[in-house]
Amino acid sequence: MRSSLFLVAVLVCGLVGAQPGGLPERVEKLESDYGVLVKSRVAFSAALVDANEWTTQGPFEADKTLEFKRVITNVGDGYDPQTGFFTAPAKGLYYIQVTGVAGPTGQLNAGLKKNGDNIFAIYQKAGTQAAASNGVVLALEAGDRLCVQLWAGQTIADQGRLSTFTGFLVFPM
């Protein structure tokens, strides 16, 4: 029984691939016409520090772009842990989320910026090791840059998995 199912599967796959306009030709056409399949694979997620010990950053005298160093996922290579910037490789609708843990001051203020403009903020004033999170759906052009900035005078804490910067392409446009 298994061998006959296998034979049917091979014949069907062979016939679909061999027919003009079959699956391989359709995939090639989509890639050449729109670059959709290549550019639509975009997702990143990074934690602030790559350590298991509690680590605090800040306070700084001026706003500071955070560099999320522990890269968990970086499909499409849009996120750069050296600069903290995500650069959209393709025009599309993206979902972006930022989560932060308040440091020893017990207060956290940070924000997502798109090409230097404020998009949203996370805020926490409930005590140390309390978290704040926010997310947004953004229409981005190829080359748009996103980063998370810790506002002047604030602290953020992490233990290699709690303060994160995450995003993915919902669909290309």
Side-chain angles (χ1 to χ4, degrees), residues 14-130:
L15 291 174
V16 169
Q19 293 176 359
L23 187 59
E25 288 81 8
R26 291 182 205 161
V27 169
E28 286 177 21
K29 180 161 178 35
L30 279 173
E31 286 179 329
S32 67
D33 288 353
Y34 304 105
V36 170
L37 296 179
V38 175
K39 293 181 183 177
S40 67
R41 295 181 177 129
V42 180
F44 73 96
S45 190
L48 188 60
V49 298
D50 193 10
N52 291 326
E53 300 80 32
W54 276 103
T55 304
T56 301
Q57 292 189 13
F60 302 102
E61 290 185 21
D63 293 355
K64 165 88 168 113
T65 298
L66 296 174
E67 298 160 358
F68 291 79
K69 295 296 188 183
R70 183 179 179 206
V71 176
I72 300 160
T73 303
N74 197 10
V75 176
D77 294 320
Y79 179 70
D80 182 353
Q82 301 306 313
T83 64
F85 280 88
F86 168 72
T87 304
K91 179 180 179 178
L93 194 67
Y94 289 79
Y95 177 76
I96 307 296
Q97 183 173 347
V98 176
T99 300
V101 174
T105 63
Q107 185 169 320
L108 167 66
N109 278 303
L112 177 73
K113 289 199 168 192
K114 172 188 167 189
N115 300 329
D117 295 330
N118 290 321
I119 301 299
F120 69 65
I122 58 173
Y123 174 77
Q124 178 56 261
K125 188 178 179 179
T128 59
Q129 300 175 351

